[in-house]
Amino acid sequence: MPKLETQIAIVGAGPSGLMLSHLLHLHGIHSVVVEDRAREYCETRIRAGVLEQGSVDLLRRSGVADRLEKEAMFHRGIEIGFNRRRHRIPMYDLTQGKCVTVYGQHEVVKDLIARRIADGGDIYFDSSAVSIHSIEGPHPLVRFEHAGRSYELAAEYIAGCDGFHGVCRPSIPPGILQCFERIYPFGWLGMLAEAAPSSDELIYMHHDRGFALFSMRSPQLTRLYLQCSPEEDISLWSDDRIWDELFLRFECDDGWRPIRGPILQKGITGMRSFVVEPMQYGRLFLAGDSAHIVPPTGAKGMNLAMADVAVLADAFHSYYCSGYSDALDRYSAICLRRVWKAQRFSWWMTSLLHRFDDQNEFDHRRQLAELDYVTSSQAAATSLAENYVGLPMEQ
Ligand code: FAD
Ligand code: DHB
């Protein structure tokens, strides 16, 4: 069996695993990434699209933002719509010059993979039977199969960056982690359409038929979402039905509507809020979706993943410079403070904008009053804006 050695074994080549590997490399710390999917799959998986100011600053500071500077779209506001009218939240003005950046998660992943490979990084794509061992002791191990051979990777620490369905979190013995969870009674039908975005900014639309979101990926590609049942049968959604529903939900008095085009890709996502505490056990550190999930309404998931690994990379740096593990010991507590604030915001945006089946007329009126408040009070709009552009990395 080939034996490999590294300082940090990273399971998962999503935004968290790749960014961690990149930041560790900049600190002179060796890592090996083990990923169960093919490189092409990771580079084309359409997911998040909104980067907070802090995530973009981190990409810039660490030298992986060249393509982002050329291709991303920088947004200074978002629109919130209800009762056939849209209202702009001027985030840039309300946050002393912060904005969000629209740049597909798969583009971030592409840039990070290219950079890791250019820097001589080791990423084992297409691995199978990935498992982690001996996380309580000083010599943890990752075992996996790759290209028909079995590997054993000895490390000093393991980073579980393998998403919500990965193997790392379930490898922690029962009784150690506390899980906090809420599952929502709806999902999102997400579409990528070959059509020029007909608005320069994102539109979050409340509607009696359910929430709708207008976003984009490029000057030629519109990204759209519709609230649907979590068990929705996607085969029942023809292109005509999708566009009819989008036009209904976005219909406003000013006549604005998205530009129609062929649907290139569609999929359904369930929605949950989930946190484990602590985000560490023995020599295993969990980061990103392996430790927490947010409903996508606040656009926070990828950004939380970036913030976690920024803290983790600094903690490893401090450990390898000083020999003291106090920064590593604080990792979970530092991340969880920010994670819970993002949970709160994502839950709030979700409750504000979605239709709940058990909603009575009181709840409906209260929801409309809250939308009216958020879009007419500078104090309320400022709170939304400062959370949407992202709280400081270590808060
Ligand atoms: P992942 O991206 O899930 O990466 C985990 C990696 O581990 C994957 O490559 C996976 O293949 C690999 N893996 C899994 N199991 C194993 C194993 N056993 N062995 C080896 N490798 C394994 N977030 C935002 O910030 N903004 C948004 O606008 C936004 N919109 C979203 C819209 C949708 C429709 C969805 C689904 C998500 C959205 N998110 C958004 C959330 C965001 O995509 C995730 O939070 C983000 O992908 C988390 O990154 P991660 O690296 O922690 O996990
Ligand atoms: C996108 C996804 C989100 O969850 C969100 O809140 C905003 C935009 C997107 O994919 O573009």
Side-chain angles (χ1 to χ4, degrees):
M1 180 188 288
K3 294 203 192 284
L4 307 167
E5 265 183 27
T6 187
Q7 286 170 292
I8 317 295
I10 299 175
V11 184
S16 59
L18 291 166
M19 190 66 185
L20 178 62
S21 181
H22 171 59
L23 293 173
L24 290 175
H25 171 74
L26 298 181
H27 286 310
I29 301 168
H30 190 262
S31 67
V32 171
V33 181
V34 180
E35 162 65 47
D36 67 355
R37 299 291 193 153
R39 176 176 177 181
E40 201 205 333
Y41 181 91
C42 298
E43 290 184 337
T44 52
R45 180 167 43 194
I46 306 280
R47 288 179 92 182
V50 176
L51 289 165
E52 292 175 353
Q53 181 75 55
S55 302
V56 171
D57 292 345
L58 181 66
L59 290 164
R60 284 187 174 135
R61 256 196 333 270
S62 66
V64 277
D66 289 357
R67 204 161 61 90
L68 178 146
E69 303 293 5
K70 284 186 233 125
E71 295 178 16
M73 300 156 119
F74 302 96
H75 287 195
R76 294 181 168 202
I78 53 168
E79 289 195 322
I80 305 260
F82 61 100
N83 278 347
R84 302 177 61 89
R85 283 189 60 207
R86 296 187 313 283
H87 307 259
R88 184 166 189 268
I89 309 283
M91 293 172 323
Y92 183 85
D93 301 334
L94 295 172
T95 60
Q96 287 86 45
K98 291 188 182 154
C99 57
V100 293
T101 300
V102 177
Y103 190 63
Q105 174 171 324
H106 65 288
E107 306 292 358
V108 174
V109 163
K110 241 187 258 174
D111 295 344
L112 286 168
I113 291 174
R115 180 59 186 268
R116 282 311 293 127
I117 288 174
D119 286 343
D122 292 319
I123 310 177
Y124 288 81
F125 288 105
D126 272 320
S127 298
S128 57
V130 181
S131 58
I132 65 170
H133 306 270
S134 309
I135 49 179
E136 282 105 344
H139 304 294
L141 287 177
V142 178
R143 295 204 176 103
F144 60 99
E145 289 174 16
H146 177 80
R149 303 175 80 185
S150 299
Y151 286 82
E152 190 169 277
L153 170 62
E156 289 165 31
Y157 290 94
I158 297 177
C161 299
D162 50 348
F164 184 68
H165 300 287
V167 291
C168 290
R169 192 182 67 251
S171 304
I172 297 175
I176 303 285
L177 298 179
Q178 248 190 306
C179 300
F180 304 87
E181 185 167 38
R182 170 178 290 232
I183 295 176
Y184 297 85
F186 38 73
W188 279 13
L189 172 60
M191 284 76 59
L192 190 67
E194 195 177 351
S198 53
S199 159
D200 292 339
E201 292 178 342
L202 271 62
I203 302 169
Y204 287 80
M205 194 79 195
H206 174 277
H207 194 279
D208 289 350
R209 296 175 64 87
F211 168 72
L213 171 60
F214 172 92
S215 179
M216 62 204 71
R217 284 294 178 275
S218 73
Q220 297 80 34
L221 290 174
T222 303
R223 178 80 169 141
L224 299 141
Y225 297 94
L226 286 168
Q227 177 183 350
C228 62
S229 152
E231 288 93 36
E232 196 75 45
D233 178 356
I234 198 153
S235 69
L236 300 177
W237 286 86
S238 64
D239 282 18
D240 281 345
R241 182 174 172 208
I242 287 173
W243 283 109
D244 287 349
E245 192 62 34
L246 285 165
F247 290 150
L248 269 178
R249 294 194 195 178
F250 281 114
E251 194 170 9
C252 279
D253 290 338
D254 67 359
W256 179 87
R257 48 162 51 186
I259 295 174
R260 185 179 170 136
I263 306 269
L264 303 176
Q265 188 259 359
K266 59 187 168 190
I268 290 173
T269 322
M271 291 181 51
R272 71 169 81 221
S273 303
F274 174 83
V275 183
V276 290
E277 292 188 7
M279 290 169 55
Q280 181 221 345
Y281 174 66
R283 296 232 161 192
L284 171 66
F285 289 84
L286 301 175
D289 278 15
S290 75
H292 40 72
I293 296 282
V294 283
T297 330
K300 290 283 162 253
M302 172 172 48
N303 294 297
L304 282 179
M306 293 282 181
D308 286 352
V309 298
V311 176
L312 189 54
D314 282 351
F316 279 130
H317 179 54
S318 153
Y319 169 73
Y320 283 111
C321 287
S322 69
Y324 293 110
S325 67
D326 44 333
L328 285 171
D329 299 339
R330 284 197 307 271
Y331 165 74
S332 175
I334 288 175
C335 291
L336 283 168
R337 264 190 86 194
R338 196 171 183 283
V339 165
W340 275 110
K341 290 190 191 99
Q343 289 289 353
R344 183 209 67 81
F345 177 68
S346 304
W347 164 85
W348 176 76
M349 285 283 278
T350 303
S351 326
L352 180 70
L353 289 159
H354 288 75
R355 196 199 139 75
F356 288 77
D357 280 343
D358 59 354
Q359 184 167 293
N360 60 26
E361 199 42 39
F362 179 88
D363 293 330
H364 185 223
R365 297 286 164 118
R366 187 195 40 74
Q367 202 179 35
L368 290 174
E370 189 154 13
L371 284 160
D372 187 10
Y373 176 54
V374 160
T375 53
S376 59
S377 148
Q378 177 154 329
T382 304
S383 166
L384 191 160
E386 90 167 340
N387 281 277
Y388 194 81
V389 299
L391 296 173
M393 274 278 181
E394 290 200 15
Q395 190 181 325

